[in-house]
Amino acid sequence: MRRLRAAAAFVAAAVVLAGLAGCAGTSAQPKAAASHPPVIGGVGVEMFQRPWTSIGAECGSTLGPAGFSWVLTSPPQEHITGSQWWTSYQPVSYAVDSKLGTEEQFADMVTACKAAGVRVVADAVINHMTAQGAGTGFAGTAFTKYAYPGLYTPKDFHHCALTPDGSIQDYTSRAQVQTCELVGLADLDTGSAHVRTTIAGYLKHLLGLGVAGFRIDAAKHMAAKDVAAIVKLLPAGTPVISEVIRGSGEAVQPEEYTRIGQVFEFQYARELGPQLKAGVLMDPTRIDEVPSKDAAVFVDNHDTERGDASVTYRDGSLYLMANALMLADDYGTPVIYSGYAFSDPDAGAPQGPDGRVIGWDCAGTTAPKATYADGEGVCTEAWKSIAGMIEWRTAAASAPREPGVSQGAAYGFERKGKAVIAANPGSKPETLSVPTSLKDGAYCDVIADGPSMKGCAGGATVLVSDGMARFELDAGQTAAIHIGAEPHN
Ligand code: ARE
Ligand code: CA
């Protein structure tokens, strides 16, 4: 015994000595766990191609009352002219003057949103400038593809010689992805100190106007160390969400960027959407997804609704279902998407003769519509089911997600002791009992009636008895109850 103790003391002394040696810098010391980069958190909404005046009004009338924490705007900087929405993604200067509004309107929006408890996250297009040989930008700035007055000259760009036309062709080549041109867009040399400080200057200007953080557009196309170096020039604690579309077999993967902030995890919608379309919901696998704290998730965004999204505003109740299931989930920071209807994927939001987007409000919208006219706002943020699910999510808080149960096409799960959701993506009615530890009684359906802390506005209820929440679901119906949503007697 004594001997053993002596041996243990010797080992302890050796550890202390090794530690001291570490302090002297001669050997590696265990480092304190790196703190997680700042996360914006709560529920966000991407308000695509919405003018600043519209967003400012919507913050007070809809986003704040519904409980959204933040709104993601389209890019605010000067861009090439044209009717297409994607002109916003070809910066000409960093003047905050665009088809979506002036700098003054932008600042007013931030003020209005802050007053409503909603933070503003701006889409930062910093990988590239334009793809045009020459032109004049929306705010009157004359430019050529590799020269932007007061900002960049040709030496500030990568001029990639890896492909015949300098455009990215092969996503398995890191060098191509990060130093060639994304669809022909002049690619900034983000390794250069001048480019980094110029970009950071723009982002700091937006922070000065009150924005809370950034979406980093096309982050995949900048080395993670370049993005990190730019973010490091911003005040500590600035949250960013990098757009790094996960692609199997590609050279650049989202995991490289999670030390800088969150990433948009595209895999989430790729798993959920097809299940809804097939009418077979199951528990998530989380295969090929970053850890929850690193993920911003969405059902669709402005690219995927024009691309490979399985479920979009065109799917009505299934789209609502997808968003409700995402809000009910215990994975990632959810981002609702709100754009406008379109037939032509290039078509911009309706513009006035001055080229400014006219904008829209969502007064009178409470649910998905069966059809939309081209250019009409979808107004997802105004659906009472979304506000109801934000309330549900708050009630669920950190309660774990219990395994799901199915009956026919119907599927449901509990967030332990706090909230239950059930959805029927099938084509015929289903009855589903979901195990729950909520106490017996009738609970308001926050999908049918919206937030219910003050009682069931529309009278739709779900009964809980004997440890089961008993759902009667029509084809395409979603229903959700939570611990705070009991009808007033
Ligand atoms: C437009 C025209 C092009 C033209 C170009 C230059 O559409 O035909 O060549 O202008 O004149 C948006 C539009 C583009 C538009 C561009 C510039 O979507 O159509 O081009 O603005 O105006 C990759 C990137 C990813 C990127 C997508 C679109 O990795 O970062 O492509 N997404 C962001 C934004 C877009 C935006 C840009 C970047 C550019 O969200 O809205 O483009 O600022 C696989 C890969 C992905 C790849 C995807 C599509 O999934 O894994 O990495 O995404 O294929 O190629
Ligand atoms: Ca690049």
Side-chain angles (χ1 to χ4, degrees), residues 62 66 68 312-313 315-321 323 336-337 362 365-369 372 377-390 446-447 450-451:
T62 311
F68 284 96
T312 69
Y313 75 89
D315 298 290
S317 61
L318 272 193
Y319 187 53
L320 186 165
M321 188 179 291
N323 280 288
I336 302 299
Y337 175 70
C362 294
T365 301
T366 57
K369 293 173 65 171
Y372 296 84
V378 175
C379 291
T380 325
E381 74 277 13
W383 299 353
K384 61 187 175 181
S385 53
I386 298 289
M389 282 307 299
I390 294 176
V446 298
I447 296 284

Side-chain angles (χ1 to χ4, degrees), residues 126-128 158 168 175-182 185-190 218-223 226:
I126 58 174
N127 169 65
H128 52 261
H158 289 133
I168 301 165
Q176 278 196 35
V177 169
Q178 297 188 328
T179 65
C180 294
E181 296 182 347
L182 171 62
L185 298 157
D187 198 63
L188 285 162
D189 175 7
T190 44
K220 180 192 285 183
H221 303 281
M222 296 175 277
D226 293 356

Side-chain angles (χ1 to χ4, degrees), residues 183-197:
V183 295
L185 298 157
D187 198 63
L188 285 162
D189 175 7
T190 44
S192 116
H194 170 72
V195 169
R196 287 176 179 179
T197 52

